[in-house]
Amino acid sequence: MRIAVVDDDSRVMALLTKYIAAFFRETAYVQDDFSNGAEFIQSLSEYEYNIVFMDIEMNCMNGEEAVKILRKQDINENVFVVFVSSHTNNLTSLFSLRPFDFITKPFSYDDVNNILSAIMSKINTRNGFITITTNRQKYKLSVNDIMYINSDKHKLIIFLQNNKTLEAYMKLTDIEAELNAVSSDFLQIHKSFIVNRKYIKQYKRESIVIGDATLNISRQYQDSIMLSFRENS
């Protein structure tokens, strides 16, 4: 995760830095700071950014000019741009630059937190990742690495394709919702099991073989799973 903060007001930059650090306190990231748009544009020859907080009013290339150049390079619009401004007037011209959001000075931690939460949700969905909490740390997990998930009392055991496991204290229904938001490969076969169809070695009406495990399919899921396999065969 690489973030750029572009603002010529050191107080605003310090506040954004504080709020970004609070949000990503359990996640690795790099932040680069720039006092004008020209400095930021020069950095694009070396770095690619995921998120950019861009002040609109600056000397030596303002925010609008800088994002116009950015978007010429970022043709797939992978960069999430958040414009920062001291007013809300005459911002209509900026919509053509496809910003993710606007933030008005003075702003609070909640303002920044809400924007970053929405951006991270979009990034995870786009890249096929979900976020779980294990050992009190947030962990970004590629759904392609998940073979199956077992709900065991108050925790989940996540079996990965590299013969490793992760434990997370969350509900099976919650992780199922996250998985379904980024992939169509996951099936619930039992009140305690969700499986990734990509890793299924053998399928019968009553059970499946996935990795080294044989998992039972509950009666309530047998018909829907059989139909799912037919549709994807």
Side-chain angles (χ1 to χ4, degrees), residues 34-139:
F34 306 96
S35 61
N36 59 65
E39 291 180 358
F40 167 72
I41 292 302
Q42 289 176 359
S43 75
L44 296 181
S45 61
E46 187 174 358
Y47 300 117
E48 293 182 0
Y49 293 96
N50 304 101
I51 304 170
V52 176
F53 286 88
M54 179 68 71
D55 187 20
I56 297 174
E57 303 89 6
M58 294 179 291
N59 295 322
C60 194
M61 189 179 294
N62 62 35
E64 182 175 2
E65 294 170 336
V67 175
K68 281 181 181 178
I69 297 172
L70 169 67
R71 287 302 189 210
K72 288 180 181 179
Q73 301 180 32
D74 179 35
I75 57 175
N76 294 321
E77 299 180 15
N78 291 322
V79 183
F80 291 88
V81 175
V82 180
F83 278 118
V84 183
S85 177
S86 57
H87 60 78
T88 57
N89 299 325
N90 301 321
L91 299 180
T92 54
S93 63
L94 301 177
F95 284 98
S96 64
L97 300 175
R98 283 87 60 196
F100 181 78
D101 211 334
F102 295 84
I103 190 169
T104 305
K105 307 172 188 177
F107 48 82
S108 67
Y109 171 71
D110 286 341
D111 296 328
V112 177
N113 178 76
N114 291 339
I115 288 174
L116 288 175
S117 294
I119 289 174
M120 292 308 299
S121 178
K122 292 282 187 181
I123 289 176
N124 289 341
T125 300
R126 176 191 291 173
N127 295 335
F129 286 91
I130 61 171
T131 301
I132 65 171
T133 300
T134 179
N135 296 325
R136 297 183 179 181
Q137 290 189 330
K138 290 183 179 179
Y139 190 90

Side-chain angles (χ1 to χ4, degrees), residues 106-190:
F107 48 82
S108 67
Y109 171 71
D110 286 341
D111 296 328
V112 177
N113 178 76
N114 291 339
I115 288 174
L116 288 175
S117 294
I119 289 174
M120 292 308 299
S121 178
K122 292 282 187 181
I123 289 176
N124 289 341
T125 300
R126 176 191 291 173
N127 295 335
F129 286 91
I130 61 171
T131 301
I132 65 171
T133 300
T134 179
N135 296 325
R136 297 183 179 181
Q137 290 189 330
K138 290 183 179 179
Y139 190 90
K140 195 173 180 181
L141 182 62
S142 170
V143 298
N144 291 325
D145 290 337
I146 300 173
M147 295 179 65
Y148 66 97
I149 302 170
N150 178 18
S151 176
D152 182 15
K153 296 181 181 179
H154 299 297
K155 67 180 178 182
L156 301 179
I157 304 174
I158 304 170
F159 292 80
L160 307 177
Q161 56 88 21
N162 56 7
N163 294 320
K164 294 183 179 180
T165 60
L166 291 172
E167 293 185 359
Y169 287 88
M170 59 190 301
K171 295 179 180 178
L172 194 67
T173 52
D174 292 339
I175 199 169
E176 182 182 25
E178 287 200 48
L179 291 170
N180 290 338
V182 300
S183 174
S184 59
D185 290 323
F186 289 87
L187 301 170
Q188 183 162 7
I189 64 168
H190 188 277

Side-chain angles (χ1 to χ4, degrees), residues 169-228:
Y169 287 88
M170 59 190 301
K171 295 179 180 178
L172 194 67
T173 52
D174 292 339
I175 199 169
E176 182 182 25
E178 287 200 48
L179 291 170
N180 290 338
V182 300
S183 174
S184 59
D185 290 323
F186 289 87
L187 301 170
Q188 183 162 7
I189 64 168
H190 188 277
K191 66 178 182 179
S192 299
F193 290 105
I194 292 175
V195 302
N196 187 340
R197 71 167 69 244
K198 291 181 177 179
Y199 293 101
I200 294 176
K201 294 180 179 179
Q202 185 179 346
Y203 163 70
K204 297 180 181 179
R205 182 174 177 84
E206 297 84 11
S207 64
I208 63 166
V209 177
I210 186 165
D212 296 326
T214 300
L215 307 178
N216 293 328
I217 303 174
S218 296
R219 275 188 190 175
Q220 70 183 96
Y221 295 107
Q222 288 175 0
D223 289 339
S224 62
I225 290 172
M226 183 173 289
L227 179 60
S228 174

